[in-house]
Amino acid sequence: MAKPHYLVIVESPSKAKTIGKYLGSDYTVKASMGHLRDLPKSTMGVDLTNFDPEYIPVKEKSALIQELKDAAAKADCVYLATDPDREGEAISWHLKELLGLPEEKTCRITFNEITQKVVREAIANPRPIDEDLVDAQQARRILDRIVGYQLSPLLWKKVRRGLSAGRVQSVATRLVVDRENEIRAFVP
């Protein structure tokens, strides 16, 4: 019987190198280098009726995507070890979807320090992907897109071409406009 082989996917190449030393030859450790799927750049990418996002693979990362698909196909289990925050959880979810990983072959692990003991404990205690964290990140991304697609063209006309706006910038813009209106309305 063949010895099992595992794939661990982290976000950063330097983490991959260190973690690879800790886990040994039964494990292949690769880096996703952040998101591998995103909303399209040329369209809204969000169905405004249902707020459903339309994700597409990042074109510049197609070789990396294929490399990860090949490695995942050879692995008995894939450990998604992206960062322990909303963004990392979403990256793990995107990886699972993009690589076509079945539930029984997918394990989500997180750690807050990169030491052999902590990494091995994480491998021994996997969990499912936290859908609530994924939904929170998706809501932020969708809101950024909706606000940005409507506010950015105004910035291009009024300030400078190439500027972009999102949910944070729109609030800041509102504060500036409100303050400007107060100044104009002031009667000494």
Side-chain angles (χ1 to χ4, degrees):
M1 184 170 175
K3 197 163 107 173
H5 190 76
Y6 308 99
L7 173 63
V8 179
I9 303 175
V10 296
E11 288 182 53
S12 133
S14 59
K15 282 183 191 175
K17 193 174 181 182
T18 304
I19 292 168
K21 290 177 189 173
Y22 295 158
L23 295 176
S25 63
D26 291 348
Y27 293 83
T28 299
V29 184
K30 296 199 173 279
S32 72
M33 316 273 269
H35 283 279
L36 298 180
R37 288 195 324 173
D38 199 5
L39 300 171
K41 291 181 179 173
S42 58
T43 63
M44 173 72 81
V46 177
D47 173 1
L48 295 177
T49 306
N50 307 345
F51 296 99
D52 285 333
E54 171 202 340
Y55 293 112
I56 60 171
V58 175
K59 195 184 303 183
E60 299 80 26
K61 294 187 175 183
S62 58
L64 175 59
I65 292 168
Q66 190 57 55
E67 179 184 328
L68 291 173
K69 279 183 180 180
D70 294 343
K74 295 174 192 165
D76 295 297
C77 181
V78 178
Y79 291 94
L80 301 172
T82 53
D83 292 349
D85 56 14
R86 276 189 304 255
E87 203 71 27
E89 205 72 23
I91 290 171
S92 283
W93 177 77
H94 282 293
L95 283 165
K96 181 179 183 285
E97 297 292 313
L98 186 61
L99 303 178
L101 300 174
E103 200 70 41
E104 64 277 0
K105 188 178 173 175
T106 308
C107 296
R108 174 74 169 117
I109 60 171
T110 57
F111 35 82
N112 291 314
E113 62 183 67
I114 302 175
T115 61
Q116 188 167 10
K117 177 181 181 257
V118 170
V119 170
R120 287 195 175 276
E121 282 174 7
I123 293 279
N125 298 293
R127 63 170 174 79
I129 291 173
D130 185 333
E131 298 291 337
D132 290 339
L133 288 177
V134 173
D135 289 346
Q137 190 277 339
Q138 283 193 97
R140 291 181 60 185
R141 184 70 184 101
I142 290 168
L143 188 56
D144 275 346
R145 177 54 63 98
I146 292 169
V147 171
Y149 253 69
Q150 294 176 354
L151 189 57
S152 294
L154 177 67
L155 287 175
W156 300 341
K157 285 182 195 168
K158 302 291 183 184
V159 182
R160 181 172 41 95
R161 185 107 183 114
L163 293 176
S164 65
R167 66 186 189 293
V168 174
Q169 295 88 343
S170 63
V171 173
T173 302
R174 175 67 188 258
L175 291 170
V176 170
V177 168
D178 287 351
R179 185 67 181 136
E180 182 62 30
N181 288 338
E182 286 175 20
I183 291 169
R184 287 181 180 169
F186 178 73
V187 179

